[in-house]
Amino acid sequence: MANGDNLEESSPLLGKVVENADEKDTLRSSTAATPDSLPPPPPVRKDMEEENRDGGSDYGWTADGLPVHGSVVGEPVGRAQWETDLCACIGRHDEFCSSDLEVCLLGSVAPCILYGTNAERLGSSTPGTFANHCMSYSGLYLIGTSFFGWNCLAPWFTYPTRTAIRRMFNLEGNCEALHRSCGCCGLCVEDEVQREHCESVCDFATHIFCHTCALCQEGRELRRRMPHPGFNARPVLVMIPPGEQSMGRGV
């Protein structure tokens, strides 16, 4: 102690340094991570807990009380419905009525052309989309009808287009529509991964059992939501040179 007193007398700032070191040690020991000192998690609203408990909510909620599918502000965003039903062959009586009749005629007489136009609208930035999809569909159609007696191969080729349309416009699938209307398919709708697998299977089944109706519904949906790729062409300015001019004096 005598040595410590002599050091403090010889250096008056040494005592302050020792006191600061003791304060830092006490702060570290007080801020140590303990279960009691951790802040509590953000509370989840009671209405969220009741909806998740009853199974009445169509959206999943995280531990922080935020929806899995939501907008920037945190509000849940639901999937939109198709503009027309699956069996609405002639569409609706609106400004797209003539286009719906054209889709119905193409689906009944030339489904290869309808599928090619649907793929062209969906992948408008890729050149040659219509020809590639139309010719591929025609080949599968001829093989299926020739060897098996019905168009059983083309749906394997066309159903991914329905899945792409559903994901692009955030449309509800058949499982979610059944869950909304009659409450069935609940197990597939609650989980996101299971729901997506179930919806993909439903897309394939729709093209197998209602192939023409599925193509027509997709055609009506694309015509209402996306313009034809030909309408996106930029205008071309054509410069016409002036006619020949003759210089002379008038008589």
Side-chain angles (χ1 to χ4, degrees):
M1 294 296 294
N3 296 331
D5 296 338
N6 295 331
L7 289 174
E8 290 180 359
E9 291 177 358
S10 61
S11 179
L13 298 177
L14 184 60
K16 295 182 180 180
V17 173
V18 174
E19 291 178 358
N20 293 333
D22 295 338
E23 291 179 358
K24 291 181 180 180
D25 294 337
T26 55
L27 287 175
R28 290 176 182 175
S29 60
S30 62
T31 57
T34 58
D36 298 335
S37 62
L38 291 176
V44 182
R45 297 202 307 265
K46 293 183 179 180
D47 54 353
M48 297 179 185
E49 295 179 355
E50 294 177 357
E51 288 179 357
N52 293 334
R53 189 184 304 112
D54 299 337
S57 176
D58 293 338
Y59 309 97
W61 300 90
T62 61
D64 298 333
L66 298 176
V68 176
H69 290 286
S71 61
V72 178
V73 296
E75 295 295 332
V77 177
R79 288 181 171 84
Q81 300 181 13
W82 292 75
E83 293 291 339
T84 57
D85 296 333
L86 180 64
C87 298
C89 298
I90 59 175
R92 299 186 309 184
H93 297 285
D94 53 6
E95 63 272 14
F96 294 94
C97 181
S98 60
S99 178
D100 294 342
L101 294 176
E102 177 188 358
V103 168
C104 181
L105 181 62
L106 288 176
S108 302
V109 178
C112 59
I113 297 178
L114 178 59
Y115 176 69
T117 55
N118 293 345
E120 186 180 19
R121 287 177 182 268
L122 191 62
S124 57
S125 60
T126 305
T129 304
F130 172 79
N132 295 333
H133 287 76
C134 183
M135 297 301 293
S136 301
Y137 184 95
S138 300
L140 293 174
Y141 180 84
L142 293 176
I143 295 174
T145 53
S146 301
F147 290 93
F148 302 100
W150 64 293
N151 186 16
C152 60
L153 298 180
W156 293 80
F157 178 67
T158 58
Y159 89 91
T161 304
R162 186 176 185 85
T163 304
I165 294 172
R166 182 172 51 80
R167 292 177 180 176
M168 176 180 291
F169 303 114
N170 194 26
L171 301 175
E172 64 177 9
N174 295 332
C175 292
E176 192 171 1
L178 290 174
H179 178 71
R180 176 177 51 83
S181 58
C182 58
C184 60
C185 300
L187 295 177
C188 297
V189 175
E190 290 178 358
D191 186 72
E192 289 295 324
V193 178
Q194 292 181 1
R195 175 167 58 182
E196 187 58 35
H197 288 306
C198 183
E199 296 296 354
S200 300
V201 173
C202 289
D203 294 339
F204 174 71
T206 303
H207 271 261
I208 286 291
F209 298 104
C210 303
H211 181 63
T212 304
C213 295
L215 289 179
C216 292
Q217 185 187 26
E218 295 162 11
R220 294 190 300 266
E221 193 74 22
L222 288 173
R223 280 162 174 75
R224 281 170 167 79
R225 294 180 179 269
M226 298 182 66
H228 193 272
F231 296 156
N232 297 330
R234 297 181 180 179
V236 179
L237 181 61
V238 179
M239 301 295 294
I240 301 176
E244 296 182 358
Q245 297 180 1
S246 59
M247 298 179 62
R249 298 179 179 179
V251 179

PDB file of all heavy atoms in Angstrom, residues 102-117 134 137-138 141 212 215:
ATOM      1  N   GLU A 102     -62.564 -14.970 -80.678  1.00  0.00           N
ATOM      2  CA  GLU A 102     -61.426 -15.435 -81.481  1.00  0.00           C
ATOM      3  C   GLU A 102     -60.650 -16.515 -80.740  1.00  0.00           C
ATOM      4  O   GLU A 102     -60.226 -17.517 -81.333  1.00  0.00           O
ATOM      5  CB  GLU A 102     -60.515 -14.251 -81.797  1.00  0.00           C
ATOM      6  CG  GLU A 102     -59.256 -14.633 -82.568  1.00  0.00           C
ATOM      7  CD  GLU A 102     -58.283 -13.481 -82.700  1.00  0.00           C
ATOM      8  OE1 GLU A 102     -58.610 -12.378 -82.216  1.00  0.00           O
ATOM      9  OE2 GLU A 102     -57.194 -13.695 -83.259  1.00  0.00           O
ATOM     10  N   VAL A 103     -60.452 -16.333 -79.441  1.00  0.00           N
ATOM     11  CA  VAL A 103     -59.740 -17.329 -78.636  1.00  0.00           C
ATOM     12  C   VAL A 103     -60.510 -18.642 -78.615  1.00  0.00           C
ATOM     13  O   VAL A 103     -59.923 -19.734 -78.743  1.00  0.00           O
ATOM     14  CB  VAL A 103     -59.512 -16.791 -77.211  1.00  0.00           C
ATOM     15  CG1 VAL A 103     -59.040 -17.895 -76.287  1.00  0.00           C
ATOM     16  CG2 VAL A 103     -58.501 -15.658 -77.234  1.00  0.00           C
ATOM     17  N   CYS A 104     -61.829 -18.565 -78.455  1.00  0.00           N
ATOM     18  CA  CYS A 104     -62.640 -19.778 -78.444  1.00  0.00           C
ATOM     19  C   CYS A 104     -62.570 -20.512 -79.780  1.00  0.00           C
ATOM     20  O   CYS A 104     -62.478 -21.743 -79.831  1.00  0.00           O
ATOM     21  CB  CYS A 104     -64.090 -19.421 -78.103  1.00  0.00           C
ATOM     22  SG  CYS A 104     -65.221 -20.830 -78.021  1.00  0.00           S
ATOM     23  N   LEU A 105     -62.591 -19.767 -80.875  1.00  0.00           N
ATOM     24  CA  LEU A 105     -62.518 -20.387 -82.201  1.00  0.00           C
ATOM     25  C   LEU A 105     -61.151 -21.033 -82.428  1.00  0.00           C
ATOM     26  O   LEU A 105     -61.060 -22.164 -82.928  1.00  0.00           O
ATOM     27  CB  LEU A 105     -62.788 -19.333 -83.271  1.00  0.00           C
ATOM     28  CG  LEU A 105     -62.782 -19.817 -84.726  1.00  0.00           C
ATOM     29  CD1 LEU A 105     -63.875 -20.856 -84.939  1.00  0.00           C
ATOM     30  CD2 LEU A 105     -62.963 -18.653 -85.682  1.00  0.00           C
ATOM     31  N   LEU A 106     -60.074 -20.341 -82.040  1.00  0.00           N
ATOM     32  CA  LEU A 106     -58.739 -20.910 -82.211  1.00  0.00           C
ATOM     33  C   LEU A 106     -58.535 -22.136 -81.331  1.00  0.00           C
ATOM     34  O   LEU A 106     -57.912 -23.119 -81.762  1.00  0.00           O
ATOM     35  CB  LEU A 106     -57.677 -19.862 -81.884  1.00  0.00           C
ATOM     36  CG  LEU A 106     -57.486 -18.723 -82.885  1.00  0.00           C
ATOM     37  CD1 LEU A 106     -56.468 -17.728 -82.372  1.00  0.00           C
ATOM     38  CD2 LEU A 106     -57.061 -19.267 -84.240  1.00  0.00           C
ATOM     39  N   GLY A 107     -59.045 -22.106 -80.108  1.00  0.00           N
ATOM     40  CA  GLY A 107     -58.894 -23.258 -79.236  1.00  0.00           C
ATOM     41  C   GLY A 107     -59.642 -24.482 -79.722  1.00  0.00           C
ATOM     42  O   GLY A 107     -59.211 -25.620 -79.485  1.00  0.00           O
ATOM     43  N   SER A 108     -60.746 -24.256 -80.421  1.00  0.00           N
ATOM     44  CA  SER A 108     -61.537 -25.388 -80.917  1.00  0.00           C
ATOM     45  C   SER A 108     -61.003 -25.946 -82.230  1.00  0.00           C
ATOM     46  O   SER A 108     -61.035 -27.164 -82.455  1.00  0.00           O
ATOM     47  CB  SER A 108     -62.997 -24.953 -81.097  1.00  0.00           C
ATOM     48  OG  SER A 108     -63.527 -24.468 -79.881  1.00  0.00           O
ATOM     49  N   VAL A 109     -60.516 -25.077 -83.093  1.00  0.00           N
ATOM     50  CA  VAL A 109     -60.096 -25.499 -84.441  1.00  0.00           C
ATOM     51  C   VAL A 109     -58.583 -25.676 -84.531  1.00  0.00           C
ATOM     52  O   VAL A 109     -58.109 -26.683 -85.073  1.00  0.00           O
ATOM     53  CB  VAL A 109     -60.589 -24.471 -85.479  1.00  0.00           C
ATOM     54  CG1 VAL A 109     -60.133 -24.868 -86.877  1.00  0.00           C
ATOM     55  CG2 VAL A 109     -62.100 -24.335 -85.431  1.00  0.00           C
ATOM     56  N   ALA A 110     -57.829 -24.729 -84.039  1.00  0.00           N
ATOM     57  CA  ALA A 110     -56.370 -24.754 -84.174  1.00  0.00           C
ATOM     58  C   ALA A 110     -55.727 -24.429 -82.831  1.00  0.00           C
ATOM     59  O   ALA A 110     -55.276 -23.298 -82.603  1.00  0.00           O
ATOM     60  CB  ALA A 110     -55.915 -23.767 -85.243  1.00  0.00           C
ATOM     61  N   PRO A 111     -55.683 -25.379 -81.897  1.00  0.00           N
ATOM     62  CA  PRO A 111     -55.066 -25.092 -80.590  1.00  0.00           C
ATOM     63  C   PRO A 111     -53.572 -24.816 -80.667  1.00  0.00           C
ATOM     64  O   PRO A 111     -53.025 -24.159 -79.783  1.00  0.00           O
ATOM     65  CB  PRO A 111     -55.357 -26.355 -79.779  1.00  0.00           C
ATOM     66  CG  PRO A 111     -55.573 -27.427 -80.791  1.00  0.00           C
ATOM     67  CD  PRO A 111     -56.199 -26.759 -81.972  1.00  0.00           C
ATOM     68  N   CYS A 112     -52.923 -25.302 -81.724  1.00  0.00           N
ATOM     69  CA  CYS A 112     -51.491 -25.024 -81.856  1.00  0.00           C
ATOM     70  C   CYS A 112     -51.238 -23.536 -82.057  1.00  0.00           C
ATOM     71  O   CYS A 112     -50.280 -22.972 -81.507  1.00  0.00           O
ATOM     72  CB  CYS A 112     -50.906 -25.833 -83.006  1.00  0.00           C
ATOM     73  SG  CYS A 112     -51.666 -25.517 -84.612  1.00  0.00           S
ATOM     74  N   ILE A 113     -52.103 -22.873 -82.835  1.00  0.00           N
ATOM     75  CA  ILE A 113     -51.948 -21.432 -83.059  1.00  0.00           C
ATOM     76  C   ILE A 113     -52.239 -20.667 -81.781  1.00  0.00           C
ATOM     77  O   ILE A 113     -51.550 -19.694 -81.440  1.00  0.00           O
ATOM     78  CB  ILE A 113     -52.862 -20.982 -84.209  1.00  0.00           C
ATOM     79  CG1 ILE A 113     -52.459 -21.672 -85.509  1.00  0.00           C
ATOM     80  CG2 ILE A 113     -52.822 -19.473 -84.379  1.00  0.00           C
ATOM     81  CD1 ILE A 113     -53.326 -21.321 -86.700  1.00  0.00           C
ATOM     82  N   LEU A 114     -53.262 -21.090 -81.040  1.00  0.00           N
ATOM     83  CA  LEU A 114     -53.590 -20.409 -79.779  1.00  0.00           C
ATOM     84  C   LEU A 114     -52.455 -20.545 -78.779  1.00  0.00           C
ATOM     85  O   LEU A 114     -52.078 -19.567 -78.112  1.00  0.00           O
ATOM     86  CB  LEU A 114     -54.885 -20.987 -79.203  1.00  0.00           C
ATOM     87  CG  LEU A 114     -55.331 -20.416 -77.861  1.00  0.00           C
ATOM     88  CD1 LEU A 114     -55.552 -18.913 -77.951  1.00  0.00           C
ATOM     89  CD2 LEU A 114     -56.591 -21.114 -77.373  1.00  0.00           C
ATOM     90  N   TYR A 115     -51.887 -21.735 -78.680  1.00  0.00           N
ATOM     91  CA  TYR A 115     -50.772 -21.915 -77.749  1.00  0.00           C
ATOM     92  C   TYR A 115     -49.550 -21.107 -78.187  1.00  0.00           C
ATOM     93  O   TYR A 115     -48.831 -20.553 -77.349  1.00  0.00           O
ATOM     94  CB  TYR A 115     -50.411 -23.393 -77.639  1.00  0.00           C
ATOM     95  CG  TYR A 115     -49.213 -23.635 -76.765  1.00  0.00           C
ATOM     96  CD1 TYR A 115     -49.271 -23.430 -75.396  1.00  0.00           C
ATOM     97  CD2 TYR A 115     -48.002 -24.062 -77.327  1.00  0.00           C
ATOM     98  CE1 TYR A 115     -48.160 -23.643 -74.595  1.00  0.00           C
ATOM     99  CE2 TYR A 115     -46.894 -24.282 -76.525  1.00  0.00           C
ATOM    100  CZ  TYR A 115     -46.976 -24.071 -75.169  1.00  0.00           C
ATOM    101  OH  TYR A 115     -45.881 -24.274 -74.379  1.00  0.00           O
ATOM    102  N   GLY A 116     -49.317 -21.015 -79.492  1.00  0.00           N
ATOM    103  CA  GLY A 116     -48.203 -20.217 -79.981  1.00  0.00           C
ATOM    104  C   GLY A 116     -48.369 -18.739 -79.678  1.00  0.00           C
ATOM    105  O   GLY A 116     -47.414 -18.066 -79.270  1.00  0.00           O
ATOM    106  N   THR A 117     -49.590 -18.216 -79.831  1.00  0.00           N
ATOM    107  CA  THR A 117     -49.824 -16.802 -79.511  1.00  0.00           C
ATOM    108  C   THR A 117     -49.720 -16.547 -78.006  1.00  0.00           C
ATOM    109  O   THR A 117     -49.226 -15.495 -77.586  1.00  0.00           O
ATOM    110  CB  THR A 117     -51.207 -16.387 -80.015  1.00  0.00           C
ATOM    111  OG1 THR A 117     -52.218 -17.270 -79.478  1.00  0.00           O
ATOM    112  CG2 THR A 117     -51.268 -16.454 -81.540  1.00  0.00           C
ATOM    113  N   CYS A 134     -45.526 -23.298 -81.687  1.00  0.00           N
ATOM    114  CA  CYS A 134     -46.599 -23.797 -82.545  1.00  0.00           C
ATOM    115  C   CYS A 134     -46.182 -25.092 -83.238  1.00  0.00           C
ATOM    116  O   CYS A 134     -46.967 -26.060 -83.288  1.00  0.00           O
ATOM    117  CB  CYS A 134     -46.974 -22.730 -83.570  1.00  0.00           C
ATOM    118  SG  CYS A 134     -48.357 -23.190 -84.641  1.00  0.00           S
ATOM    119  N   TYR A 137     -45.964 -27.977 -80.668  1.00  0.00           N
ATOM    120  CA  TYR A 137     -47.296 -28.444 -80.290  1.00  0.00           C
ATOM    121  C   TYR A 137     -47.917 -29.284 -81.402  1.00  0.00           C
ATOM    122  O   TYR A 137     -48.547 -30.320 -81.136  1.00  0.00           O
ATOM    123  CB  TYR A 137     -48.195 -27.251 -79.972  1.00  0.00           C
ATOM    124  CG  TYR A 137     -49.574 -27.622 -79.478  1.00  0.00           C
ATOM    125  CD1 TYR A 137     -49.839 -27.696 -78.115  1.00  0.00           C
ATOM    126  CD2 TYR A 137     -50.609 -27.908 -80.367  1.00  0.00           C
ATOM    127  CE1 TYR A 137     -51.088 -28.046 -77.654  1.00  0.00           C
ATOM    128  CE2 TYR A 137     -51.858 -28.261 -79.911  1.00  0.00           C
ATOM    129  CZ  TYR A 137     -52.101 -28.321 -78.553  1.00  0.00           C
ATOM    130  OH  TYR A 137     -53.338 -28.681 -78.102  1.00  0.00           O
ATOM    131  N   SER A 138     -47.731 -28.853 -82.633  1.00  0.00           N
ATOM    132  CA  SER A 138     -48.311 -29.593 -83.755  1.00  0.00           C
ATOM    133  C   SER A 138     -47.709 -30.998 -83.851  1.00  0.00           C
ATOM    134  O   SER A 138     -48.430 -31.976 -84.090  1.00  0.00           O
ATOM    135  CB  SER A 138     -48.064 -28.833 -85.060  1.00  0.00           C
ATOM    136  OG  SER A 138     -48.650 -27.546 -85.008  1.00  0.00           O
ATOM    137  N   TYR A 141     -49.091 -33.096 -81.049  1.00  0.00           N
ATOM    138  CA  TYR A 141     -50.509 -33.380 -81.317  1.00  0.00           C
ATOM    139  C   TYR A 141     -50.669 -34.511 -82.333  1.00  0.00           C
ATOM    140  O   TYR A 141     -51.494 -35.421 -82.150  1.00  0.00           O
ATOM    141  CB  TYR A 141     -51.198 -32.114 -81.818  1.00  0.00           C
ATOM    142  CG  TYR A 141     -52.661 -32.291 -82.132  1.00  0.00           C
ATOM    143  CD1 TYR A 141     -53.622 -32.211 -81.135  1.00  0.00           C
ATOM    144  CD2 TYR A 141     -53.074 -32.533 -83.452  1.00  0.00           C
ATOM    145  CE1 TYR A 141     -54.967 -32.374 -81.417  1.00  0.00           C
ATOM    146  CE2 TYR A 141     -54.411 -32.696 -83.748  1.00  0.00           C
ATOM    147  CZ  TYR A 141     -55.357 -32.616 -82.738  1.00  0.00           C
ATOM    148  OH  TYR A 141     -56.687 -32.788 -83.030  1.00  0.00           O
ATOM    149  N   THR A 212     -58.384 -27.874 -73.801  1.00  0.00           N
ATOM    150  CA  THR A 212     -58.842 -26.753 -74.628  1.00  0.00           C
ATOM    151  C   THR A 212     -59.335 -25.598 -73.784  1.00  0.00           C
ATOM    152  O   THR A 212     -59.043 -24.423 -74.078  1.00  0.00           O
ATOM    153  CB  THR A 212     -59.953 -27.232 -75.577  1.00  0.00           C
ATOM    154  OG1 THR A 212     -59.475 -28.340 -76.350  1.00  0.00           O
ATOM    155  CG2 THR A 212     -60.381 -26.121 -76.516  1.00  0.00           C
ATOM    156  N   LEU A 215     -56.303 -23.709 -72.332  1.00  0.00           N
ATOM    157  CA  LEU A 215     -55.660 -22.839 -73.318  1.00  0.00           C
ATOM    158  C   LEU A 215     -56.479 -21.577 -73.562  1.00  0.00           C
ATOM    159  O   LEU A 215     -55.928 -20.475 -73.674  1.00  0.00           O
ATOM    160  CB  LEU A 215     -55.452 -23.593 -74.631  1.00  0.00           C
ATOM    161  CG  LEU A 215     -54.386 -24.699 -74.647  1.00  0.00           C
ATOM    162  CD1 LEU A 215     -54.342 -25.353 -76.015  1.00  0.00           C
ATOM    163  CD2 LEU A 215     -53.024 -24.149 -74.276  1.00  0.00           C
TER     164      LEU A 215
END
